[in-house]
Amino acid sequence: MKRTLKQQAIFEFIVFIISIVLFNIIAAFVFTRIDFTKEERFSLSDASKNMAKELDDVVLFKIYLDGDFPAGFKRLRTATKELLDEFRAYSGGNIQYEFINPSANPDPKIRRDIFEQLSSQGLEPTNLQVQEEDGSTQKIIFPGALVSFAGRQVALPLLQGQAGLAPEEVLNNSVQNLEYGIASAIRNVTSVEKPMLAVLFGHGELDTLQMGDILADFRQMYNVRLISLPRSIPEDLTRFKAVIIAKPQTAFDEKDKFKLDQYLMNGGRILWVLDALNAEMDSMYEGNLLAFSKELNLDDQLFTYGIRLNQDLVQDLNCLPIPIITGRIEGKPQQQLLPWLYFPLIIPESNHPVVNNLDGIKGEFVSTIDTFKKEGIRTTVLLHTSAYTKVLKGPVRISLSMLGVQPNPEQFNKSKQPIAILSEGNYTSVFANRLTPSALAQIKFTDKSTKPGKMIVISDGDIIKNYVTKNDSLIYPLGYDRFTNQTFANKKFIQNAVDYLIDDSGLISVRSKEIKLRLLDKSKVKAQKLKWQLINMVLPILSVILFGMLYYRIRKRKYAA
């Protein structure tokens, strides 16, 4: 009997060893990972996996997020490391990383040189307040990474700042956007042939200084070309993945409309950044302005595609201030910042990848947009005004004198007016049934989409315009407001919009990934601290003791004979 039990034990041990060996052999050839989290926070999207698998050389991440940080930044560091491990697993080791503490050197001069070098390479510093035993100290950190491949390098910010959010929510949103940020950095640094992007001119659009900041960013990601639409032929646009029309001032003739129409019919992607009315702060004479229709001659074209840019302006109680002279002291003018209802602060609420988790966006003289149901076309509202909006039909007389008048909240009852629309699908040409047989015989014409196209229409031409100083033509970041000295999310919005139009891999959809923030209830933690300490310390020990006693009794009963 004893011999039989001994043989059985030996047999079970041999089977166990063989099973482990076989499991490891299979695991070496079959790659899989299991994510047990509800939000699948450790699972990469198919687009990210494919990108990682296609790497043929090492992409190096130098992450400047090492050192003594508060718990929130440690979480960001840990999440970054875990996600990079996922990318490295799918890349076959072609993703490598190292964490660096830029403040590690004790020499202040060397540290300052390192900080300046990181800033020049595109990493933005953050001033962090660290609590210590003898008080709090200020610490400069660079929550970002430098990504390099084959001699090329791009900067990757890891902290997604959002005004008005608690630090925990800011860090949580930063963790949510990690996969998209890492994947975008890999794509940008490894792309040999960048997608072609056209910025059209010929109708008084913004110049290269007024778009200088966003163009500098676009040139890192795309092959940007400035194209004169009137001088081009329809075939010229077909080589571009997307085209931008940025705040035109003069009317489009039928030839130019035809070129844009046929580009869209063949699967083109267009970013329309338009003003419905002529309204400029620089044009206000003695504090007064009459805003009238811009007459771009695009109404029929946009209407055919299911969109109407309304001839109006919105006033929004959620707005930005402008300075106004309120008096003089010793001959010097005294200024005060007062809310300017025509400069709405747009807070994105949609979870669409283009605007998900974006900070506030600065608007100037914004109009409303209507959409119409068209077969084969899907529209999505990306941005809208606040719940406290007033709509003024054009022409609109604008006066700075209204700054001294308290607005009546009852008049601001036009809630959430759309100001940015995404349109996708199969379009019908605005020139369908309009061309004569003789004209059709001379040109190549498509009356319906041969493949799906995309458009984003924004009813604020200034949303893509950066501030430029008059004296020395100094270009400020897009979204910078010189009156409040704040920088809003205009640049990120435009970047995301163009990225969505151009990207066919579905990578930008990762921006919609949501990781829920599960914070501990501090009052419950304080009240039940002792209870949970005992549960975590005593219960495991008791469990081991009980298991040992039970196991001993079972063995004793089994082998007693």
Side-chain angles (χ1 to χ4, degrees):
M1 180 71 177
K2 290 184 179 180
R3 186 175 180 182
T4 303
L5 291 173
K6 183 177 180 181
Q7 290 175 344
Q8 182 179 354
I10 294 173
F11 176 76
E12 290 175 353
F13 178 74
I14 293 173
V15 170
F16 176 72
I17 295 298
I18 294 174
S19 299
I20 293 178
V21 172
L22 287 174
F23 178 81
N24 281 275
I25 292 173
I26 295 171
F29 293 96
V30 180
F31 173 75
T32 185
R33 298 172 81 84
I34 302 175
D35 187 353
F36 292 102
T37 59
K38 185 177 180 180
E39 303 95 342
E40 297 185 345
R41 65 178 63 191
F42 303 113
S43 299
L44 298 182
S45 66
D46 290 338
S48 297
K49 292 176 185 177
N50 294 334
M51 179 180 297
K53 291 174 182 177
E54 291 172 359
L55 291 177
D56 56 3
D57 204 348
V58 173
V59 178
L60 177 62
F61 286 75
K62 291 184 178 180
I63 307 150
Y64 296 88
L65 200 59
D66 202 15
D68 187 16
F69 295 138
F73 282 90
K74 289 180 180 178
R75 178 183 171 229
L76 180 60
R77 181 193 187 281
T78 301
T80 304
K81 181 182 182 302
E82 290 172 345
L83 204 56
L84 284 172
D85 285 337
E86 285 290 308
F87 273 94
R88 182 166 60 181
Y90 285 99
S91 71
N94 280 329
I95 298 288
Q96 299 294 330
Y97 63 85
E98 60 177 317
F99 284 86
I100 300 171
N101 182 0
S103 303
N105 198 298
D107 190 331
K109 184 179 182 304
I110 295 178
R111 282 204 309 270
R112 187 167 57 252
D113 291 342
I114 293 174
F115 292 167
E116 290 177 357
Q117 182 181 6
L118 293 178
S119 295
S120 66
Q121 291 174 317
L123 293 184
E124 295 291 335
T126 298
N127 201 1
L128 181 67
Q129 187 170 350
V130 181
Q131 296 292 333
E132 297 180 348
E133 293 182 359
D134 55 349
S136 61
T137 59
Q138 297 292 327
K139 186 175 183 180
I140 297 177
I141 65 171
F142 288 82
L146 293 177
V147 187
S148 56
F149 175 85
R152 297 187 294 273
Q153 180 175 279
V154 297
L156 168 62
L158 298 176
L159 186 64
Q160 305 288 330
Q162 287 182 268
L165 293 184
E168 294 87 357
E169 292 178 295
V170 170
L171 288 166
N172 192 67
N173 290 342
S174 300
V175 172
Q176 286 183 179
N177 288 321
L178 272 178
E179 182 184 344
Y180 176 69
I182 292 172
S184 296
I186 295 173
R187 179 189 61 188
N188 294 337
V189 79
T190 58
S191 296
V192 178
E193 283 193 32
K194 298 179 180 179
M196 299 281 285
L197 173 65
V199 179
L200 304 182
F201 66 93
H203 301 89
E205 289 86 355
L206 298 176
D207 59 34
T208 53
L209 282 178
Q210 295 168 318
M211 293 181 64
D213 186 47
I214 193 67
L215 287 179
D217 281 70
F218 281 157
R219 289 188 176 107
Q220 295 182 18
M221 300 180 286
Y222 312 117
N223 190 347
V224 180
R225 292 288 184 269
L226 303 179
I227 301 296
S228 172
L229 186 60
R231 296 180 181 178
S232 66
I233 59 175
E235 290 74 17
D236 287 345
L237 299 183
T238 57
R239 56 197 176 108
F240 294 101
K241 291 285 288 183
V243 301
I244 299 176
I245 303 170
K247 196 177 179 178
Q249 302 294 324
T250 60
F252 287 69
D253 62 24
E254 298 304 304
K255 291 182 180 179
D256 291 343
K257 291 166 64 176
F258 181 82
K259 297 169 188 176
L260 294 172
D261 176 83
Q262 291 302 288
Y263 171 69
L264 186 63
M265 293 306 109
N266 287 281
R269 290 94 189 271
I270 305 175
L271 176 62
W272 307 83
V273 189
L274 309 173
D275 281 336
L277 301 184
N278 276 299
E280 304 285 343
M281 285 299 294
D282 295 340
S283 301
M284 297 193 72
Y285 178 72
E286 294 183 352
N288 294 287
L289 170 69
L290 181 64
F292 53 90
S293 176
K294 199 161 253 189
E295 301 293 348
L296 296 176
N297 192 32
L298 293 172
D299 292 348
D300 61 334
Q301 187 161 9
L302 292 176
F303 185 84
T304 304
Y305 305 150
I307 292 175
R308 180 173 65 198
L309 188 63
N310 295 318
Q311 303 293 310
D312 57 28
L313 288 178
V314 299
Q315 291 183 346
D316 197 327
L317 291 181
N318 187 29
C319 60
L320 295 171
I322 62 172
I324 190 73
I325 297 176
T326 56
R328 293 179 178 272
I329 298 179
E330 297 180 354
K332 296 181 179 180
Q334 300 299 306
Q335 290 186 340
Q336 182 181 354
L337 288 176
L338 296 176
W340 185 232
L341 300 175
Y342 291 104
F343 282 11
L345 177 58
I346 310 301
I347 306 298
E349 296 181 4
S350 171
N351 61 357
H352 191 276
V354 173
V355 294
N356 189 38
N357 290 331
L358 280 190
D359 206 347
I361 296 169
K362 175 189 174 185
E364 296 185 12
F365 298 114
V366 183
S367 301
T368 64
I369 303 177
D370 286 336
T371 59
F372 305 94
K373 189 174 181 179
K374 297 281 185 177
E375 185 178 354
I377 300 175
R378 182 176 71 256
T379 58
T380 305
V381 176
L382 298 178
L383 296 177
H384 57 67
T385 59
S386 78
Y388 306 100
T389 301
K390 180 179 179 181
V391 179
L392 303 176
K393 299 296 182 182
V396 179
R397 186 170 295 278
I398 303 171
S399 175
L400 292 178
S401 61
M402 64 177 291
L403 289 167
V405 179
Q406 187 70 23
N408 182 1
E410 294 181 359
Q411 297 178 354
F412 292 77
N413 53 9
K414 300 293 184 182
S415 176
K416 299 184 177 181
Q417 296 296 305
I419 63 169
I421 300 291
L422 166 66
S423 173
E424 305 170 274
N426 295 298
Y427 299 90
T428 299
S429 171
V430 67
F431 293 94
N433 304 318
R434 287 175 54 181
L435 298 178
T436 63
S438 59
L440 290 173
Q442 299 176 27
I443 60 174
K444 185 178 179 180
F445 174 68
T446 303
D447 62 348
K448 290 187 177 181
S449 291
T450 57
K451 52 185 176 180
K454 297 180 185 179
M455 299 192 316
I456 294 179
V457 181
I458 307 170
S459 60
D460 177 14
D462 294 299
I463 210 166
I464 198 173
K465 177 183 176 183
N466 55 249
Y467 174 61
V468 182
T469 57
K470 293 182 179 180
N471 295 332
D472 50 8
S473 298
L474 180 63
I475 297 174
Y476 279 77
L478 177 58
Y480 172 76
D481 180 50
R482 65 187 187 277
F483 302 134
T484 61
N485 202 30
Q486 290 179 278
T487 301
F488 297 95
N490 296 49
K491 182 196 287 190
K492 195 63 181 175
F493 170 56
I494 298 297
Q495 287 175 337
N496 289 347
V498 173
D499 200 11
Y500 184 84
L501 292 175
I502 286 180
D503 180 41
D504 291 320
S505 67
L507 180 62
I508 196 171
S509 63
V510 178
R511 292 197 74 254
S512 296
K513 188 175 184 178
E514 182 179 0
I515 297 176
K516 293 184 179 179
L517 192 62
R518 298 178 173 90
L519 300 176
L520 295 177
D521 188 321
K522 293 183 179 180
S523 60
K524 286 186 178 180
V525 170
K526 187 175 181 180
Q528 302 177 14
K529 181 178 180 181
L530 179 61
K531 168 187 169 183
W532 289 106
Q533 283 179 333
L534 291 174
I535 289 174
N536 283 286
M537 294 176 65
V538 177
L539 187 61
I541 297 174
L542 290 176
S543 300
V544 172
I545 293 173
L546 289 173
F547 175 78
M549 294 172 64
L550 181 64
Y551 183 72
Y552 173 76
R553 287 179 64 86
I554 292 173
R555 285 183 59 83
K556 185 177 180 181
R557 182 176 297 179
K558 184 176 182 180
Y559 298 109

